[in-house]
Every structure is written in C-alpha cells, then in structure tokens.
Amino acid sequence: MQNIARGFLVGVGVLLGASGASALEARFDRPTYKTQGQVRLDNCERFGSSCGQPAADHYCQLQGYERAVSFETVRASPTRVIFGQQCNGPGCVAFKRIACFTSAQQRGRVRDWPQIIDD
C-alpha cells in the first residue's frame, strides 16, 4: 500500500513539474499607490467605479503580470485609486492583498502608472 501511495505522489510531482514550469505568481501585501508607501491602493481604478477585479487586474498589469488571481480588501483611509484620486474617511476600501499571475516564465516589464486625474 505504501508503494502505491509513494508511486502516486511521484507521478503527481512529475506532472506538476512538467505543467507548472512556465507560470509565475506573486503576492503583494498592503499594496500602495505608486511608490509612496504611505497611501494604500484603493480597490477601484477610478473613484467609485471599476472596483475589485478590474482594479486588481490593472495593478497586476502595472507590475508586469497578466492578471489578478485573487485579492482581499479592507477598510482603510486614506487610499488612492489607480488614476490618482484620493479617498478619505470611513467609506474607503483598500486592497489588503493581491495575488498576480502570468503564464510567462518571468514577469513582463513594470509599466508606468496612468496620469493622475485630480478632482
């Protein structure tokens, strides 16, 4: 019985090694707007719109990945949306964590952030 289980695990390991060699994932905890370090990244691309998955995908693309595979949010203030507007107060929601994915062997080039659109 142990030999069967060991053989199964070896087989699964070979399959995973062969199929997972060309993918890359990265996790970003408490992502911030640009490189400011103090202002958390809002979970919206634009103030009040394109929130959640679209904003997480855009962040991953800025970091050189194809898309976000998961994310978590948390209330925080202040935050800044990808396009620059700042949110202050109890209604603001930031990304707590974003997991990014690319099917390439290495991430692409890090892109410039969009031009800031202030209110």
Side-chain angles (χ1 to χ4, degrees):
M1 187 64 141
Q2 283 183 328
N3 288 338
I4 293 171
R6 191 175 307 135
F8 175 76
L9 291 175
V10 169
V12 169
V14 169
L15 287 175
L16 289 176
S19 65
S22 65
L24 184 65
E25 286 191 34
R27 186 173 112 173
F28 297 90
D29 293 324
R30 298 177 52 90
T32 58
Y33 176 78
K34 292 190 178 183
T35 57
Q36 293 179 353
Q38 302 299 321
V39 181
R40 299 281 298 277
L41 181 65
D42 196 275
N43 81 315
C44 297
E45 278 186 305
R46 298 177 188 279
F47 201 72
S49 68
S50 298
C51 303
Q53 189 69 47
D57 286 342
H58 196 161
Y59 177 80
C60 289
Q61 291 161 5
L62 291 170
Q63 302 305 317
Y65 295 87
E66 292 173 18
R67 61 185 167 84
V69 292
S70 67
F71 62 88
E72 292 179 54
T73 59
V74 64
R75 292 207 182 271
S77 180
T79 64
R80 218 176 246 283
V81 300
I82 287 175
F83 283 91
Q85 299 93 335
Q86 186 162 311
C87 179
N88 295 297
C92 303
V93 178
F95 282 112
K96 180 178 181 180
R97 175 176 302 115
I98 302 175
C100 300
F101 170 84
T102 185
S103 58
Q105 290 181 348
Q106 61 185 28
R107 75 179 189 175
R109 73 173 179 83
V110 175
R111 298 181 186 172
D112 290 334
W113 285 67
Q115 181 179 2
I116 292 178
I117 303 169
D118 284 324
D119 305 10

